[in-house]
Amino acid sequence: MKPILVIITLLIFSGLGAIAAVNYTAKPTPPELLTSYRYPQQRPLSPFELTDQNGKAFTNDQLKHKWSLFFVGYTSCPDVCPTTLGKLAAAYQQLEGVVDLQVVFLSVDPARDTQARLKDYINFFNPNFVAVTAPHSQLLPLTRELGFVYTMVGEGENYQVDHSASMVLISPDGTRMATIKPTSLDPRQLPQIRNKHLIHDVIALATHYGE
């Protein structure tokens, strides 16, 4: 091979190597998660309009420039909701200052969860948390898009609401980033989200997002 052809060949391969290196560094390895499923493609949430515990509108705009952790429930919930909020109050203390995070309690019981009731309920756990609700016509498409399900059980005033126990993490640009799922190490115990796993995954996802 002639010297000029050797030089051209070397230049081509060195250029391809540089491109590959750039592409490799531009796509950091996804973080290892302990209790979450990260969506390979993050899609922005469709427009929605809820009302928070202060009577103010809560829309897609309130998701911008911060992380949002959603979970569904209702204030009359006898077990899962107060347990989850108690755990989140503890986790929030460790995440505060590390991740700019807002916790959003999405009530799927608009008939009973009035603004005043939501405010009293959420303030008991942490006044920095957000409690929101809306008519079912607004709730159903939003919960479906977030991957939550809920259904009313029973009749009369003392009905209960069966609902998802997972959480969904929304990125600062308003896209669905990951679902945080309950797990169980013992088949005799109900699945649950462990705080140390939750805290690890939220920090890992937020850090990866900023790279």
Side-chain angles (χ1 to χ4, degrees):
M1 185 179 291
K2 296 182 180 179
I4 187 66
L5 292 178
V6 173
I7 293 173
I8 292 174
T9 302
L10 290 174
L11 287 173
I12 291 173
F13 278 104
S14 64
L16 291 174
I19 293 172
V22 169
N23 287 337
Y24 179 80
T25 56
K27 298 178 181 178
T29 303
E32 181 180 351
L33 302 175
L34 301 178
T35 191
S36 305
Y37 171 76
R38 179 180 179 272
Y39 295 100
Q41 293 183 338
Q42 287 79 49
R43 295 186 176 90
L45 290 178
S46 302
F48 63 85
E49 185 169 352
L50 311 170
T51 303
D52 70 14
Q53 73 268 31
N54 297 309
K56 297 181 179 179
F58 188 92
T59 68
N60 305 70
D61 288 340
Q62 277 65 52
L63 303 180
K64 295 179 179 178
H65 312 305
K66 62 174 71 71
W67 291 89
S68 301
L69 188 60
F70 275 80
F71 79 102
V72 294
Y74 63 115
T75 64
S76 301
C77 179
D79 40 36
V80 175
C81 298
T83 300
T84 301
L85 278 167
K87 287 185 174 184
L88 283 172
Y92 186 80
Q93 291 180 349
Q94 298 186 52
L95 289 167
E96 196 172 16
V98 180
V99 178
D100 187 4
L101 178 72
Q102 66 176 348
V103 174
V104 183
F105 172 65
L106 177 57
S107 169
V108 289
D109 187 13
R112 293 182 297 192
D113 286 347
T114 62
Q115 176 191 333
R117 190 166 183 172
L118 283 176
K119 188 168 186 175
D120 288 342
Y121 187 76
I122 206 68
N123 282 351
F124 176 80
F125 296 98
N126 191 317
N128 291 321
F129 290 178
V130 181
V132 294
T133 193
H136 291 295
S137 59
Q138 285 282 333
L139 290 174
L140 285 170
L142 175 60
T143 54
R144 189 180 300 116
E145 192 169 2
L146 289 170
F148 296 136
V149 294
Y150 72 93
T151 183
M152 275 48 184
V153 179
E155 298 178 356
E157 296 181 356
N158 296 321
Y159 64 86
Q160 294 188 347
V161 185
D162 284 348
H163 59 85
S164 302
S166 57
M167 306 177 191
V168 173
L169 187 66
I170 306 298
S171 69
D173 59 3
T175 61
R176 189 181 62 165
M177 175 65 67
T179 293
I180 300 170
K181 303 177 294 183
T183 58
S184 178
L185 302 177
D186 187 338
R188 296 169 297 180
Q189 297 179 347
L190 289 174
Q192 59 179 306
I193 296 174
R194 290 166 175 79
N195 264 13
K196 63 180 180 179
H197 294 168
L198 166 68
I199 292 166
H200 171 276
D201 286 5
V202 170
I203 292 175
L205 288 163
T207 302
H208 176 76
Y209 176 87
E211 291 177 347

